[in-house]
Amino acid sequence: MTAISQTADGAGDPGAAKPAADPERRAAVITACVVGGIGCAGVAVPIVASFGPSEREKAAGGPVDVDVAAIPLGQMRVFEWQGKPIWILHRDAAMIASLKTHDTLLADPYSKRTAYPTPPYVLKDSSTRSIKPEYFVGIGICTHLGCSPSGPFGANENPQLGDEPGFVCPCHGSTFDLAGRVFKNKPASDNLQVPPHQYLSDSIVLIGEDKKKA
Ligand code: FES
């Protein structure tokens, strides 16, 4: 299946027509944020997506490729796949280190729960939940009732996280670490989903397909 290219600066595929917002696809994302009737108040990172011409509409649902090299260190960009917000967080060394120290605070530190199965190829290191430690690829939809968490926040930047860096769901207060693992005693009991994905090169990630099981 043909992959759709998305770029971290929002420019999209160079060969694409000028992006035009597709209300249906945007609505799908927004709907995911408001399940439960509560708004998606705290989305901190805008979706970077190419809402393209009719060819793209035909390819909707297929894999999308992203060049992660364009994402600045320490920052996150949001892309779109199957109408879902796909987070790619470029973690720096301190962010990665933060994941090694708080297993006892997490509800499912090793991603063993099966409601939203985590691809096994990102669990070679259960703390990073990624193929490459520096890039977390996750679905930015809270596993409680579908809001989109805000973040990433650094340590002591958000009172709900305290001295842990991570994400906060604005709807009912679930908190997640920088690998999408949910903290204990929160409304959400499952970690954020990791979509199927694989690296096509050092920096190009294909989201929606993992035949290589990279
Ligand atoms: S939707 Fe309820 S905590 Fe996220």
Side-chain angles (χ1 to χ4, degrees):
M1 187 174 292
T2 304
I4 305 170
S5 295
Q6 297 189 22
T7 59
D9 61 3
D13 181 340
K18 185 176 175 59
D22 178 329
E24 288 186 10
R25 294 174 73 187
R26 280 202 180 281
V29 175
I30 293 167
T31 299
C33 293
V34 298
V35 170
I38 299 172
C40 208
V43 179
V45 182
I47 291 178
V48 176
S50 303
F51 295 95
S54 58
E55 291 80 12
R56 291 187 169 208
E57 296 308 316
K58 291 173 192 169
V64 297
D65 60 68
V66 171
D67 185 355
V68 296
I71 303 173
L73 188 65
Q75 294 190 24
M76 188 172 86
R77 295 290 182 268
V78 184
F79 301 88
E80 184 188 17
W81 169 65
Q82 293 191 341
K84 300 170 188 168
I86 302 298
W87 293 352
I88 301 185
L89 172 63
H90 188 178
R91 294 180 292 212
D92 60 25
M95 289 172 155
I96 295 169
S98 77
L99 300 169
K100 312 287 185 186
T101 60
H102 58 209
D103 277 8
T104 57
L105 303 178
L106 302 171
D108 183 18
Y110 308 114
S111 299
K112 289 187 171 176
R113 294 186 179 169
T114 56
Y116 302 98
T118 300
Y121 49 85
V122 302
L123 291 177
K124 290 172 186 165
D125 180 346
S126 60
S127 69
T128 59
R129 300 179 82 224
S130 60
I131 296 171
K132 297 186 181 207
E134 61 269 39
Y135 292 108
F136 172 63
V137 180
I139 298 179
I141 297 176
C142 181
T143 54
H144 180 221
L145 289 175
C147 291
S148 190
S150 303
F153 296 101
N156 301 306
E157 284 183 0
N158 184 291
Q160 289 171 278
L161 283 160
D163 59 4
E164 297 288 345
F167 301 92
V168 176
C169 184
C171 292
H172 314 101
S174 292
T175 52
F176 303 85
D177 74 2
L178 295 176
R181 295 179 296 174
V182 67
F183 285 93
K184 280 179 181 171
N185 304 316
K186 301 293 179 179
S189 55
D190 291 287
N191 297 335
L192 297 180
Q193 288 180 268
V194 172
H197 64 286
Q198 61 185 319
Y199 281 84
L200 301 180
S201 69
D202 272 355
S203 68
I204 303 295
V205 183
L206 185 68
I207 297 162
E209 194 173 286
D210 57 6
K211 287 178 183 163
K212 273 175 52 181
K213 305 290 182 192

